[in-house]
């Protein structure tokens, strides 16, 4: 069964450094998402992406964040200058469409980001 | 804006017994989807069950079933014959159909930690 994959599984970085989290969505999916879960808290939406542009973003997704689909398979989340509070689990998701059952999002296993 | 509330931070159940996890939500939409996700210690999000709001019949998946009360905006998860492997964090989630709100993001509750006692 096709699945969303994410690399790395765990990323440790120093405060102020740039990190890039990578995701490979399911191959025939057109909509891509990033979510964040701070330890012990709920999962929160960051951004959705379609047709090479952001379609929706939350207030969390400030200028320090950016997303890109650099090629036909990868979807990345970049944090330019990491802060301690960026430490969280980051989930990538993808969906075939936006509405109806096609809009069901499939989640990757997550990348745990630790900022020291 | 839509909200999802899980009022039980933690629940315990004896192995082989039945437990019900509560979830309420608030929306003015008629077209939406509801989900329960299981998050084990690995923190992967595993879909347990989904419910389309337009379907009156409650969804079931093996030992997992929901009680969907649309008028009350309630979506509880029942786990029958609980097993040790069911121990995890469970999140309730809402997704708009998008026709009126224009948004398709998932909105999650704060989760319920389920402990299964041997």
């Amino acid at each position: 069964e096709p699945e969303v994959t994410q690399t790395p599984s765990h990323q440790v970085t120093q405060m102020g450094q740039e990190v890039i989290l990578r995701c490979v969505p399911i191959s025939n999916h057109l909509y891509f998402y990033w979510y964040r879960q701070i330890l012990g808290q709920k999962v929160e939406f960051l951004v959705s992406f379609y047709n090479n542009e952001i379609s929706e973003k939350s207030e969390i997704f400030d200028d320090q964040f950016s997303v890109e689909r650099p090629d036909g398979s990868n979807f990345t989340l970049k944090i330019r200058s990491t802060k301690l509070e960026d430490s969280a689990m980051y989930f990538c998701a993808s969906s075939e469409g936006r509405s109806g059952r096609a809009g069901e999002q499939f989640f990757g296993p997550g990348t745990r980001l630790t900022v020291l | 804006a839509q909200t999802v509330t899980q009022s039980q931070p933690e629940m315990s159940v004896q192995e082989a017994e039945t437990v019900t996890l509560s979830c309420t939500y608030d929306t003015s939409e008629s077209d939406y989807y509801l989900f329960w996700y299981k998050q084990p210690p690995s923190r992967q999000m595993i879909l347990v069950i989904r419910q389309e709001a337009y379907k009156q019949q409650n969804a079931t998946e093996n030992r997992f079933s929901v009680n969907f009360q649309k008028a009350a905006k309630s979506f509880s998860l029942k786990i029958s014959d609980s097993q040790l492997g069911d121990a995890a964090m469970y999140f309730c989630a809402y997704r708009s159909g998008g026709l009126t709100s224009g948004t398709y993001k998932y909105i999650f509750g704060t989760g319920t930690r389920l402990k299964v006692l041997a």
Side-chain angles (χ1 to χ4, degrees), chain B residues 7 10-12 14 26-27 30 34 42 50 55 58 60 73 76 78 81 89 92 106 111-112:
Chain B
S7 58
E10 191 171 292
M11 293 281 285
S12 295
Q14 207 70 32
D26 190 26
T27 185
S30 58
L34 297 164
S42 67
R50 71 171 72 78
K55 288 188 177 179
N58 289 324
T60 63
K73 296 178 183 172
S76 60
K78 186 172 83 169
D81 185 26
M89 197 75 170
C92 178
Y106 279 34
T112 295

Side-chain angles (χ1 to χ4, degrees), chain A residues 37 56 98 100 104-105, chain B residues 33 39 50 95 103-104 106:
Chain A
Q37 184 187 30
E56 185 180 4
R98 286 218 314 185
E104 182 167 318
Q105 296 174 24
Chain B
Y33 300 79
Q39 189 180 48
R50 71 171 72 78
R95 177 174 73 86
T103 179
Y104 303 91
Y106 279 34

Side-chain angles (χ1 to χ4, degrees), chain B residues 52-117:
Chain B
E52 291 96 333
Y54 63 85
K55 288 188 177 179
Q56 293 187 339
Q57 187 173 5
N58 289 324
T60 63
E61 288 285 344
N62 301 313
R63 296 183 295 107
F64 298 87
S65 62
V66 299
N67 184 4
F68 174 48
Q69 300 290 325
K70 191 171 184 178
K73 296 178 183 172
S74 169
F75 181 61
S76 60
L77 174 69
K78 186 172 83 169
I79 306 174
S80 303
D81 185 26
S82 297
Q83 300 174 359
L84 295 176
D86 294 334
M89 197 75 170
Y90 286 81
F91 290 96
C92 178
Y94 171 101
R95 177 174 73 86
S96 168
L99 293 176
T100 51
S101 65
T103 179
Y104 303 91
K105 65 187 178 190
Y106 279 34
I107 299 169
F108 288 86
T110 51
T112 295
R113 182 170 302 282
L114 179 65
K115 295 184 175 180
V116 181
L117 308 173

Side-chain angles (χ1 to χ4, degrees), chain B residues 18-58:
Chain B
T18 296
V19 65
T20 299
L21 308 184
S22 300
C23 173
T24 58
Y25 58 95
D26 190 26
T27 185
S28 58
E29 299 181 315
S30 58
D31 177 32
Y32 54 88
Y33 300 79
L34 297 164
F35 307 88
W36 278 99
Y37 281 87
K38 172 184 178 181
Q39 189 180 48
S42 67
R43 298 184 72 184
Q44 183 159 0
M45 298 294 284
I46 301 167
L47 178 65
V48 174
I49 200 164
R50 71 171 72 78
Q51 175 79 44
E52 291 96 333
Y54 63 85
K55 288 188 177 179
Q56 293 187 339
Q57 187 173 5
N58 289 324

